[in-house]
Amino acid sequence: MAEIKTQTLDSYLRLIEISRDLASTLDLDTLLDDIVHASADITHAEAASILLYDDTARQLYFQVATNIDEPTMRGLIVPLDKSIAGWIVTNRKSVRIDDAHKDERYFSDVEQTIGYETKSLLGIPLITKNKVVGVLEVLNKKRGRFTDPDESMLTVLGAQAAVAIENARLFQQSDLIAQFVHELRTPLASLSTATYLLLRPEMSREQRDQIVNNIHSETLRLNSLASSFLDLARLESGRVQFRKTRFSVADLIYESSDVMTSKAQETSIQIRVEVPGDMPLMEADRDKIKQVLLNLLSNAIKYNRPNGSVIVTANFSETEESITIQDTGLGIPEEAIPHLFEKFYRVREHEGKVTGTGLGLSISKQIIQGHNGRIEVKSKMGVGTSFTIHLPRASRMMPRNNES
Ligand code: ADP
């Protein structure tokens, strides 16, 4: 009995400590990671996870877990109507279970995919401003059953976590929106100048044509700025789920370079593809990886020289697969390299010459990191640039998809 009391006191002290940390963290990933580890610690559980609720799709998805690796987690979706987490969301009540397998709400697909057996479970709804944002679960009490103090401590942590999640999201969004509005100012100013000039009677026919062309390209750029902004906002909010399948890397590369062929031909640029015959299938969200490839190919063409070339190569090792897109273009100054993946960043030397939004690489990085991969760049001014994406090899846990 005395031992239980000491354990509880330790847990309360830990709870106070973690609450202080949570209040000062605005980075959503760090925050959620802190919360799951603290939850497992204070309730003496083997594992803990947070599932966020997507009220449009009416399903839950794993955002963070102490016992599931990132790539596996990204593909896991939990239905609202046939799961304990779903029950918690719908009923806005906590659940305490000694043997999950005996519970008819238990959704066993996750267990099969991750190879981790759940026995006891304690889960609470994460509610803020009367809205359920997700579920916090702790799994497998190390000794005995989950207790009342466990539940009340998890509830305190959950209440703080829900507010913190909401704050981090709002902060992220307001920051991004402020930058977006700032980026809108320049094209809007130039559109406004263009229309003013069009109204001037002294403008010649040629000058008018030129201005109309400028308006056209500026509106196209605004349009792509808007779609890229939405893409990035969704990726940053953590609401994008990667729908993983297994697919041929060669097919994906050929398909992507076909899309870019006519653009490349405008400046007589050759695209060459080299993929090893024994390249293993890739396990990822095919559409999203294609989006990354199209962006890198588009850049390799845009920032190239006339009659230049783009070479796309693929490679693999025991642990990862990689795709490199190499160009013979302008190159990137060394001091610009650390900033390339920042939102809205554009290399000053390129700004006047090539149009762009400065969002493509940030989106690509988010997608690749979301797959637990990394993206690397090498460049030499006047010689060319190469971007390489590295993705972890397919795990054997993942069921084969019909695309393979
Ligand atoms: P965008 O091309 O729309 O401006 P990105 O985020 O895709 O935005 O790229 C950011 C910046 O990085 C570009 O503005 C450009 O200056 C530089 N950059 C990207 N790819 C290349 C490349 N292949 N060669 C040279 N510079 C590049």
Side-chain angles (χ1 to χ4, degrees):
M1 196 63 195
E3 197 196 344
I4 293 179
K5 284 238 172 77
T6 333
Q7 266 186 12
T8 315
L9 182 63
D10 282 351
S11 296
Y12 277 123
L13 291 175
R14 184 78 220 284
L15 183 63
I16 294 167
E17 190 190 328
I18 185 80
S19 307
R20 227 182 289 133
D21 292 349
L22 289 185
S24 61
T25 312
L26 279 170
D27 176 66
L28 192 58
D29 289 335
T30 318
L31 186 75
L32 297 183
D33 207 55
D34 287 352
I35 292 169
V36 282
H37 282 98
S39 302
D41 279 0
I42 61 173
T43 58
H44 302 281
E46 272 179 20
S49 49
I50 285 179
L51 295 98
L52 293 184
Y53 177 52
D54 178 346
D55 53 1
T56 322
R58 291 177 57 75
Q59 60 195 14
L60 287 131
Y61 55 95
F62 281 87
Q63 183 65 23
V64 56
T66 57
N67 60 329
I68 316 176
D69 64 33
E70 174 88 21
T72 312
M73 202 164 58
R74 286 278 171 189
L76 291 178
I77 292 169
V78 177
L80 190 67
D81 55 352
K82 280 187 250 87
S83 65
I84 294 175
W87 188 94
I88 295 173
V89 170
T90 314
N91 295 280
R92 295 172 165 239
K93 283 196 188 123
S94 56
V95 159
R96 214 191 305 174
I97 296 171
D98 290 334
D99 187 348
H101 287 264
K102 291 207 181 116
D103 194 296
E104 59 182 23
R105 296 164 295 190
Y106 187 62
F107 181 63
S108 58
D109 288 24
V110 173
E111 177 161 318
Q112 281 158 22
T113 312
I114 65 173
Y116 179 86
E117 196 191 344
T118 301
K119 286 174 239 84
S120 54
L121 181 153
L122 168 62
I124 57 148
L126 299 176
I127 300 176
T128 163
K129 294 195 206 124
N130 209 21
K131 221 173 72 196
V132 185
V133 291
V135 171
L136 171 60
E137 286 182 348
V138 286
L139 309 176
N140 297 349
K141 178 91 175 171
K142 285 179 186 154
R143 262 194 295 157
R145 311 162 143 200
F146 286 113
T147 59
D148 285 343
D150 287 338
E151 185 168 336
S152 56
M153 279 188 291
L154 202 65
T155 306
V156 173
L157 198 52
Q160 298 190 357
V163 173
I165 289 170
E166 192 69 6
N167 279 349
R169 278 184 173 166
L170 287 174
F171 178 77
Q172 229 169 32
Q173 282 167 4
S174 64
D175 198 33
L176 190 61
I177 288 169
Q179 283 191 57
F180 178 60
V181 170
H182 177 76
E183 292 300 316
L184 283 181
R185 294 229 158 99
T186 319
L188 286 177
S190 77
L191 283 176
S192 147
T193 313
T195 46
Y196 168 80
L197 289 174
L198 273 184
L199 290 171
R200 306 287 302 170
E202 68 271 22
M203 287 287 141
S204 70
R205 179 69 209 260
E206 287 80 51
Q207 283 172 322
R208 280 171 199 280
D209 285 352
Q210 176 67 39
I211 295 168
V212 170
N213 274 336
N214 285 347
I215 292 181
H216 180 63
S217 58
E218 229 17 44
T219 44
L220 286 181
R221 204 177 80 79
L222 271 174
N223 196 21
S224 87
L225 190 65
S227 352
S228 299
F229 170 77
L230 279 181
D231 266 1
L232 192 64
R234 292 195 65 232
L235 283 162
E236 287 207 338
S237 74
R239 282 178 210 218
V240 173
Q241 295 153 29
F242 295 112
R243 297 183 191 279
K244 293 190 182 177
T245 57
R246 289 192 179 186
F247 55 85
S248 145
V249 179
D251 287 354
L252 179 71
I253 294 178
Y254 282 112
E255 200 178 297
S256 310
S257 46
D258 281 353
V259 176
M260 301 311 290
T261 306
S262 62
K263 188 175 162 168
Q265 278 166 352
E266 284 170 19
T267 40
S268 309
I269 287 165
Q270 296 264 338
I271 306 180
R272 220 170 66 216
V273 176
E274 288 167 14
V275 182
D278 54 348
M279 187 79 191
L281 294 176
M282 183 170 270
E283 180 185 291
D285 185 321
R286 193 179 193 276
D287 288 344
K288 292 281 185 295
I289 301 299
K290 185 171 172 184
Q291 185 181 354
V292 174
L293 288 188
L294 289 177
N295 176 246
L296 296 177
L297 279 167
S298 158
N299 282 349
I301 296 166
K302 275 199 311 192
Y303 302 100
N304 217 313
R305 58 176 165 77
N307 302 310
S309 55
V310 176
I311 305 168
V312 189
T313 46
N315 262 306
F316 64 97
S317 69
E318 279 277 294
T319 53
E320 49 178 44
E321 291 178 79
S322 63
I323 302 173
T324 299
I325 288 128
Q326 187 167 3
D327 65 54
T328 54
L330 310 172
I332 300 166
E334 213 177 306
E335 64 278 10
I337 302 254
H339 304 288
L340 280 188
F341 298 95
E342 289 170 9
K343 278 169 268 185
F344 301 108
Y345 180 82
R346 306 203 63 218
V347 175
R348 202 159 18 92
E349 283 83 345
H350 302 159
E351 255 174 330
K353 299 181 193 151
V354 185
T355 59
T357 60
L359 287 179
L361 287 179
S362 322
I363 294 173
S364 300
K365 187 177 173 196
Q366 289 271 349
I367 293 176
I368 297 302
Q369 284 187 339
H371 281 81
N372 235 14
R374 60 187 201 286
I375 180 162
E376 280 167 1
V377 53
K378 289 197 193 111
S379 188
K380 199 157 186 220
M381 280 302 274
V383 178
T385 304
S386 76
F387 282 90
T388 303
I389 59 173
H390 300 266
L391 289 173
R393 287 274 298 267
S395 69
R396 261 170 283 139
M397 300 285 199
M398 174 94 180
R400 277 174 84 94
N401 201 285
N402 48 12
E403 247 188 283
S404 52

